[in-house]
Amino acid sequence: MTGKTWAYEDFVEGASFDLDTKQVSAAEIIEFASEFDAQPMHLDEEAGKASILGGLSASGWHTCAMFMRMLCDAFLLDSTCQGAPGVDQVKWKKPVLAGDTLRGKLVVLAKRLSRSKPQLGFITMRSELVNQRGESVFELENSVMFLTRDAAGYQA
């Protein structure tokens, strides 16, 4: 892990991070749904229009996966991340439709070192995705585990 930019010490309560944008295509909605969530509103435009969602819509699980990619690209792949012990809350607030452009943001809510493994810290985050109209479509709250700089092999 030597050379990773983000370690536990780099996260400050109240800090926020912007994530890049993501254009959502009909083809990727259908591809994801075909394999993982084959409900009609995720596979067919007409079925989506006939549903309460109003059009071909991404599965909530697809939205989670797109968020995760955005998070990885923003900083997670350049960090001492050790994974997450779970998700405290996820909300799919509005449909993510084919053609939408998603923008993400996260805020650090809290941080603490592990009592049993002091080289490991927990960062609690609240994340949100909004569409091109500024409407919140997704919220997630969870903790992520990061190694401290010493544990990651950084030279002082």
Side-chain angles (χ1 to χ4, degrees):
M1 291 232 144
T2 301
K4 297 290 185 178
T5 301
W6 293 93
Y8 170 79
E9 294 86 347
D10 298 310
F11 294 93
V12 176
E13 289 182 22
S16 65
F17 298 86
D18 291 324
L19 308 178
D20 282 340
T21 59
K22 164 74 174 125
Q23 180 80 33
V24 183
S25 73
E28 73 179 296
I29 289 172
I30 293 168
E31 181 180 358
F32 184 95
S34 294
E35 187 165 353
F36 301 110
D37 191 353
Q39 297 182 72
M41 69 286 251
H42 305 318
L43 293 169
D44 179 77
E45 179 69 34
E46 292 308 312
K49 285 180 182 174
S51 77
I52 63 170
L53 302 176
L56 181 66
S57 64
S59 161
W61 301 113
H62 184 193
T63 302
C64 288
M66 289 186 284
F67 165 75
M68 191 66 205
R69 181 77 235 194
M70 295 166 77
L71 185 63
C72 283
D73 290 346
F75 68 86
L76 213 56
L77 295 177
D78 190 23
S79 76
T80 63
C81 180
Q82 300 297 295
V87 171
D88 299 317
Q89 174 180 286
V90 64
K91 290 182 181 180
W92 299 303
K93 299 177 72 179
K94 285 193 174 283
V96 173
L97 301 173
D100 278 355
T101 300
L102 303 179
R103 183 170 35 89
K105 181 178 182 175
L106 67 88
V107 176
V108 175
L109 299 178
K111 64 186 281 187
R112 69 173 178 83
L113 287 171
S114 169
R115 287 186 287 276
S116 62
K117 296 179 180 161
Q119 73 278 12
L120 188 68
F122 294 86
I123 306 296
T124 303
M125 303 175 184
R126 180 180 299 128
S127 304
E128 179 182 37
L129 294 177
V130 298
N131 63 22
Q132 67 277 5
R133 292 177 296 282
E135 299 167 328
S136 180
V137 299
F138 167 87
E139 288 179 358
L140 176 104
E141 192 170 308
N142 71 315
S143 293
V144 180
M145 299 177 291
F146 292 89
L147 292 175
T148 63
R149 288 200 173 280
D150 287 342
Y154 286 88
Q155 302 300 317

